[in-house]
Amino acid sequence: MGDRREARDTEFQSFFIGRWPRLMRTAFLLTGEQHAAEDLVQSTFEQVYVAWRKVAAADDPEAYVRRVMINAHARKHRRRLREFLAPKDDSGLVREIADTGDRIAQADDRGVLLKALAGLPPRQREAVVLRYWEDLTETQAAEAMGCSVGAVKSNAARGIAKLRAIPGLAETVTQGRRK
């Protein structure tokens, strides 16, 4: 019995180590805060460990875990907990245009993007993150979100349309492409 448990723990540990970075990125894009993302991924893996036999036997264990994480994030929103994706308004600051290889400029661009993501409703944000950052198919995103493919398409389209309508974000993207 101890050998089986040890083998199961080793299998889980290997899965955990291999998936942590990608799930952290997704969680960060959903929550917008490093600590909140870590909490989300950690609580997800706590749930997954308890049900590891079932998860390991699934057709796509990573999709199963992603679904658990999306559900945990959705539950948090239903309780009306606030998330902060960007610092308070800094619109009075003057921005200079930097080289595309400039790490500071990339951080500023990322800040603009995270602020834009913060303005999206949770389902649109989930659809955009899963489709465009995680590069999931519409079917995979629908499974992760627990909705239909059509709902993913409409939420992603609405989310992208809102992001494109943000002037600061559009300028950032077009500047990056010109250089």
Side-chain angles (χ1 to χ4, degrees):
M1 172 130 163
D3 290 338
R4 275 191 268 161
R5 182 174 181 186
E6 208 171 290
R8 185 184 74 201
D9 286 351
T10 302
E11 181 185 14
F12 174 79
Q13 182 180 13
S14 175
F15 181 85
F16 175 88
I17 291 168
R19 300 318 186 282
W20 179 267
R22 186 172 184 156
L23 289 172
M24 271 299 297
R25 182 183 66 191
T26 302
F28 181 79
L29 291 167
L30 291 173
T31 64
E33 185 178 89
Q34 183 70 26
H35 297 296
E38 289 171 356
D39 289 346
L40 179 59
V41 174
Q42 184 175 358
S43 65
T44 298
F45 273 114
E46 287 172 1
Q47 292 175 3
V48 167
Y49 180 75
V50 170
W52 181 244
R53 285 188 193 132
K54 183 178 178 181
V55 175
D59 290 337
D60 187 356
E62 188 170 350
Y64 189 104
V65 172
R66 192 180 307 110
R67 175 71 187 266
V68 170
M69 187 170 72
I70 296 292
N71 287 343
H73 182 256
R75 275 192 307 277
K76 187 175 181 181
H77 268 289
R78 280 194 289 272
R79 285 188 235 137
R80 302 282 185 222
L81 292 177
R82 298 197 58 181
E83 296 176 356
F84 298 93
L85 285 176
K88 299 223 184 281
D89 184 30
D90 62 353
S91 58
L93 296 177
V94 177
R95 306 257 185 226
E96 67 178 65
I97 299 172
D99 273 344
T100 55
D102 182 0
R103 291 286 195 197
I104 300 297
Q106 290 172 353
D108 287 344
D109 293 349
R110 184 176 188 198
V112 171
L113 180 59
L114 290 175
K115 193 172 184 177
L117 277 173
L120 295 179
R123 294 300 276 180
Q124 289 178 12
R125 185 181 335 154
E126 288 172 2
V128 169
V129 167
L130 292 174
R131 286 286 293 132
Y132 299 100
W133 271 276
E134 289 300 313
D135 202 26
L136 298 181
T137 65
E138 290 165 342
T139 304
Q140 291 169 325
E143 289 172 8
M145 292 173 64
C147 63
S148 69
V149 171
V152 170
K153 287 180 180 181
S154 64
N155 279 308
R158 285 187 200 121
I160 291 296
K162 284 182 182 178
L163 292 175
R164 286 182 178 147
I166 298 171
L169 186 61
E171 292 168 8
T172 300
V173 171
T174 55
Q175 285 172 6
R177 288 185 181 160
R178 277 188 262 149
K179 290 186 180 188

